[in-house]
Amino acid sequence: MNLKGLLNSTTIADRILLFILILLSLSGIIFIKEVLPKGHIVWIEVNGHPVYLLPIEKDRIVSVNGSEGNTIVEIKNHKVRITESPCDNKLCIQQGWIEKGSIVCLPNRVVVIVGTPEDELNKRVDAITG
Amino acid sequence: MKNKFNVHPPQRTKFNVLIFIFLLFTVHYSLFTLYGCASQKENVYRKSKILMDTLVTITVVSSSKDSAEKAIDTAFSEIEKLEKLFNFFSPESELSLINKNAGISEVKVSQDTLDILDKTLYVSEKTEGAFDATIGPVITLYDFYKKVKPEDSSIKKKLSLVNYRYLMIDRNKSTAFLKKRGMHIDLGGISKGYAADKAVETLKRNRIHSGLVSVAGDIKAFGLKPDGRPWKIGIRNPRAKGQEDDIMATIELTDTAISTSGDYERSFINDGKRYHHLLNPRTGYPAEGCQSVSIITKECAFTDAFATGIFILGPEKGIKTLEKMGFDGVIVDSQGKVHTTPHIRGKVEFKRSS
């Protein structure tokens, strides 16, 4: 039986069923998109002030102006690392690639955090008293 | 004919198909409504307005922008209403009427004015008069904008007019009366907190189940954020350099209020001495002993007024009073040392940088 024959042999009920199945699968896609967590972001702060908010999906290299000079942050394959830093101990560079968590360069006051946007919201305060 | 023969069976199939389609639609529809419920995502809406001579920010959690904004606007008008009643500078306010008739006659006032006066008397009693709303005649001698320190003699003269015991309120007749001529009530130390309480009540009446009202540093939180966490409040570092929001500690709150009184708020330095607005009602001079006092309890009117009262009492007496009241508190004394009530340890997260 060829495709035309197959289509001809369907009843209205079959077609409605097919249509409904397509609808169901589409709504499933929307459902998953809404419910599953969104991708991680790379949050870069200098002296406690956010300077970059980058998606981890896009590979790039950014230069961050810290209190001692420029820190170079590289994002590649959903991972982040510091490649250059003006600090003495270079601990931040030694830490290498991270997928989650943070890299802190205390001398240059640069903080790189990888997390979901919701995590970042929790870090900030909702109001200040005083 | 063949057709005639088959009349009955197709009709039955048709009927079955209809049922089948109906069932499918029911299943599909219920799936969609279920998804609809799940997708009614709650968002955080925030609006600010200048009221009571300060910045009022209201944050609410709601699934609809319209109802969120409506609730916030209703809460703003509630605060505006209170501002009209309690304004020290407006001659038409109920407060001004009481002040004008000091030593002359009692004044009929609204429920809100009665309530707030009742609360000021309560806090005055509990702080042994350290918080005193009748400080009006002395505080007006100071000019914090022109940085003018009053003469010692004029402070002494006005000090006899400061005594909360001369404020009489009659709940049955809904009246208030200041016994001595020249007395003045200043509700600046409690009205912002009271307004925050009322704003939260208004939001709840408008079916908001979670939110945050901050009238300057007087903050009241209720419910939880959309992520299920309590509201996070930062406590300002009293010796922050510059105007930046330098925070010394954070605390998570729900269904609780917090207020902070600091010597940095309305103040000036004269001859190396800091003059601020938290005056000791006994001396008429700025209280010494604390840099900042933060109070945490259910009612924002109390956190506001007690923050002032405890500041004036000083760190040692202050902590004792808070323990007696069952309130939580963080006090930074004049040496920069931090004092806390026992229950608060673990709830407050201090930052190492300060």
Side-chain angles (χ1 to χ4, degrees), chain A residues 66-72 82-94 103-110:
Chain A
S67 51
E68 286 186 11
N70 288 337
T71 295
I72 311 294
I82 290 179
T83 54
E84 277 177 50
S85 172
C87 61
D88 292 330
N89 54 31
K90 310 281 180 207
L91 285 172
C92 50
I93 299 173
Q94 283 169 33
I103 305 175
V104 180
C105 179
L106 270 181
N108 205 26
R109 305 254 168 203
V110 173

Side-chain angles (χ1 to χ4, degrees), chain B residues 136-343:
Chain B
V138 177
I139 199 130
T140 42
L141 295 174
Y142 287 82
D143 193 325
F144 295 99
Y145 293 102
K146 289 186 192 149
K147 309 189 173 185
V148 176
K149 175 198 162 282
E151 295 291 323
D152 294 343
S153 57
S154 48
I155 291 179
K156 225 174 225 165
K157 232 166 55 194
K158 296 281 184 188
L159 216 50
S160 61
L161 294 171
V162 179
N163 194 336
Y164 69 92
R165 290 187 184 86
Y166 295 152
L167 164 63
M168 318 306 288
I169 53 173
D170 190 327
R171 285 210 152 259
N172 295 324
K173 290 196 284 175
S174 295
T175 58
F177 177 50
L178 286 167
K179 273 186 171 174
K180 275 196 183 179
R181 226 189 161 117
M183 280 184 81
H184 280 295
I185 300 173
D186 183 347
L187 292 174
I190 192 169
S191 56
K192 293 201 276 295
Y194 185 84
D197 285 332
K198 288 287 164 175
V200 168
E201 272 177 35
T202 308
L203 292 176
K204 283 181 176 170
R205 266 203 306 277
N206 283 276
R207 274 179 258 118
I208 300 291
H209 54 79
S210 173
L212 189 69
V213 174
S214 66
V215 184
D218 299 300
I219 299 162
K220 180 146 173 164
F222 66 107
L224 299 170
K225 289 196 271 185
D227 60 3
R229 292 187 68 93
W231 301 90
K232 197 170 190 175
I233 313 297
I235 301 175
R236 182 165 290 147
N237 177 359
R239 291 293 176 265
K241 289 171 194 95
Q243 292 295 87
E244 273 176 63
D245 288 341
D246 185 356
I247 290 163
M248 67 163 183
T250 57
I251 184 162
E252 291 193 325
L253 297 181
T254 176
D255 302 316
T256 317
I258 185 168
S259 293
T260 301
S261 279
D263 62 4
Y264 48 87
E265 288 170 281
R266 272 194 293 156
S267 66
F268 57 88
I269 312 259
N270 188 321
D271 283 338
K273 209 173 163 217
R274 188 187 281 267
Y275 289 87
H276 56 79
H277 71 295
L278 299 158
L279 304 179
N280 186 335
R282 292 215 173 90
T283 64
Y285 286 96
E288 287 165 22
C290 299
Q291 290 181 14
S292 95
V293 171
S294 301
I295 309 289
I296 298 144
T297 190
K298 295 260 170 222
E299 245 185 86
C300 203
F302 286 153
T303 59
D304 191 1
F306 273 95
T308 306
I310 300 295
F311 188 103
I312 291 160
L313 280 179
E316 282 81 25
K317 232 176 176 179
I319 291 286
K320 267 189 210 142
T321 307
L322 289 176
E323 280 180 40
K324 225 191 284 169
M325 298 296 304
F327 293 173
D328 281 326
V330 179
I331 300 176
V332 181
D333 70 18
S334 50
Q335 309 303 311
K337 193 169 170 253
V338 179
H339 306 249
T340 60
T341 48
H343 294 293

